Every structure is written in C-alpha cells, then in structure tokens.
C-alpha cells in the first residue's frame, strides 16, 4: 500500500514512505481524512516478513479503514481495531502501531500506541520522545485498553514516526544505524520534510546492503 500524500493548506506537510525488506512486507502506513477536517495518520509493523506478514497487513488495513468511520479518539479506535484483529491474529502474530489524529488548523494532535516506539518531536534543534500512553501490540489480547495522549504541533516543528527498520538498518560491516544516529540526524535537519532526509540517510548508511526489516 502506498497511499497518496495529503495536500493540506498553509505550511502543513504530511509525508510517508515504506521500503519492504522483501518484495512485500508487513510495514503499513496510511492517511485517513475525517469529516471535521482532521486526519488519522498511522504507522503499523506486523511481526514477521514477506508474504505472511503482507497478508496480515492487508487484513489489518481493511479493519483500520472500517473502524475509522466512527471518528473516535485514537485510544478508542485502537481498542476496536484490536478486538477485530484478534479474530485473525489469535495471539499468534501481532502488530505494533502508532495512531495519530491530527487537526491541521490548530496543530492539536491526539495519539495512541500499541507497543510501538513513541513518535519523536523535533523542535528548536532538539529531539524528544513523546511520553507513552499505555497500549500492548494489536492482536496479543482479545480485549485491550489503549490510552490517548494529546499535544500541539507548532509551526516549524516536525513529528517523526518510524518502525524499527530505521534504527536497525545495517551497513555492510553489520553495524546498526541506531537511535543515536537517527536522533542526531534529526537534530541537524529536523525541519518539516525531515522524513525524506532521514530515509536518504538510512539508504546511504546501508549502501548496497539490502533492507533487513
């Protein structure tokens, strides 16, 4: 799935990309518009690789799109997504996930986590990992609770959401790209549009080494 990048008014920019480790994979992201002008934005990472993970990803994409029609808070929506996803995951596979609801006019953001690394807020040359609301990965338990946290994304700030395919990218000598290198790169070039710069830095680090996640 490669969703179209939303076109927002003003200087708002939403951007995403996915590079599978194999021809297909289990990483997933999407942008879903709501009736009030807000957007659901999510990144999910299904356990495993290749075709099995891609099949689960496809089913999860369908479930998320269906639950988005309710236009609930991210925590409430993740609870509903988890209940439906457990029917085909059965605790045997799982997916980590960040679900964000972004209001472009005000910059207000609500977000929930399902066992995924926290989003990174890049502001004034600093990189801050947002405080985590509670939430286990999707598909582990039949019924799960997911908290919702809220913050404001101000003009000139960036919010970065990645999977472990970024910090665990390997160079030819086996070294990881790592969280420290990722945060340093964001400190130096973390203005809006930082996602593309980060992806290029990871590609340069890997060189000819194929993606491993």
């Amino acid at each position: 799935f490669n969703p179209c990048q939303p076109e927002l008014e003003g200087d708002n920019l939403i951007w995403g990309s996915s590079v599978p480790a194999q021809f297909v994979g289990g990483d997933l992201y999407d942008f879903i518009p709501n009736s009030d002008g807000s957007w659901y934005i999510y990144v999910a990472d299904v356990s495993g690789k290749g075709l099995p993970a891609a099949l689960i990803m496809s089913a999860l994409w369908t479930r998320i799109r269906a639950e988005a029609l309710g236009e609930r808070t991210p925590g409430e929506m993740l609870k509903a997504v988890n209940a439906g996803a457990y029917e085909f995951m059965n605790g045997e596979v799982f997916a980590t996930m960040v679900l964000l609801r972004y209001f472009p006019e005000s910059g207000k953001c609500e977000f929930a986590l399902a066992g995924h690394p926290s989003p990174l807020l890049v502001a004034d040359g600093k990189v801050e990992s947002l405080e985590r609301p509670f939430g286990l990965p999707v598909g582990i338990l039949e019924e799960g609770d997911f908290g919702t946290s809220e913050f404001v994304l101000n003009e000139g700030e960036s919010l970065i959401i990645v999977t472990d395919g970024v910090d665990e990218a390997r160079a030819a000598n086996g070294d990881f790209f790592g969280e420290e290198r990722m945060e340093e790169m964001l400190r130096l070039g973390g203005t809006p549009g930082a996602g593309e710069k980060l992806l290029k830095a990871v590609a340069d680090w890997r060189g000819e080494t194929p993606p491993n996640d």
Side-chain angles (χ1 to χ4, degrees):
F1 297 99
N2 290 297
C4 294
Q5 314 293 334
E7 294 185 6
L8 305 180
E9 296 182 358
D11 295 326
N12 287 296
L13 173 65
I14 301 176
W15 183 86
S17 183
S18 178
V19 181
Q22 301 180 18
F23 181 71
V24 292
D27 286 358
L28 175 64
Y29 71 96
D30 202 359
F31 316 111
I32 307 173
N34 293 310
S35 62
D36 62 357
S38 67
W39 287 79
Y40 283 129
I41 303 165
Y42 72 85
V43 173
D45 186 0
V46 177
S47 58
K49 297 180 178 67
L51 185 58
L55 292 174
I56 294 294
M57 178 194 73
S58 178
L60 186 60
W61 178 88
T62 301
R63 172 59 61 177
I64 295 169
R65 279 275 170 169
E67 296 298 345
L69 297 174
E71 299 195 3
R72 291 166 283 194
T73 67
E76 292 170 340
M77 182 171 159
L78 267 185
K79 184 179 179 69
V81 167
N82 178 76
Y86 186 83
E87 296 176 5
F88 55 84
M89 289 176 148
N90 296 312
E92 298 175 1
V93 294
F94 63 87
T96 67
M97 187 171 167
V98 176
L99 175 62
L100 178 84
R101 188 171 186 178
Y102 174 53
F103 298 79
E105 288 191 4
S106 65
K108 174 184 171 182
C109 297
E110 301 171 343
F111 78 101
L113 297 181
H116 200 90
S118 290
L120 299 173
L121 179 64
V122 185
D124 300 323
K126 300 178 181 179
V127 180
E128 175 187 0
S129 179
L130 297 181
E131 186 174 346
R132 302 177 60 85
F134 178 80
L136 295 175
V138 168
I140 289 182
L141 300 176
E142 186 172 3
E143 294 188 12
D145 290 318
F146 300 87
T148 297
S149 294
E150 184 178 317
F151 66 98
V152 175
L153 189 64
N154 296 306
E155 184 177 353
E157 297 179 345
S158 295
L159 188 72
I160 308 297
I161 304 173
V162 300
T163 67
D164 55 14
V166 173
D167 58 277
E168 294 181 4
R170 290 178 182 265
N173 64 2
D175 288 348
F176 290 113
F177 188 74
E179 292 183 9
E180 289 186 8
R181 185 173 285 102
M182 176 176 65
E183 292 185 9
E184 178 64 18
M185 185 271 152
L186 292 173
R187 274 192 290 270
L188 296 174
T191 56
E196 294 180 81
K197 300 173 188 174
L198 178 59
L199 213 59
K200 184 180 184 305
V202 171
D204 291 344
W205 174 259
R206 286 201 327 266
E208 298 299 321
T209 307
N212 61 297
D213 197 2

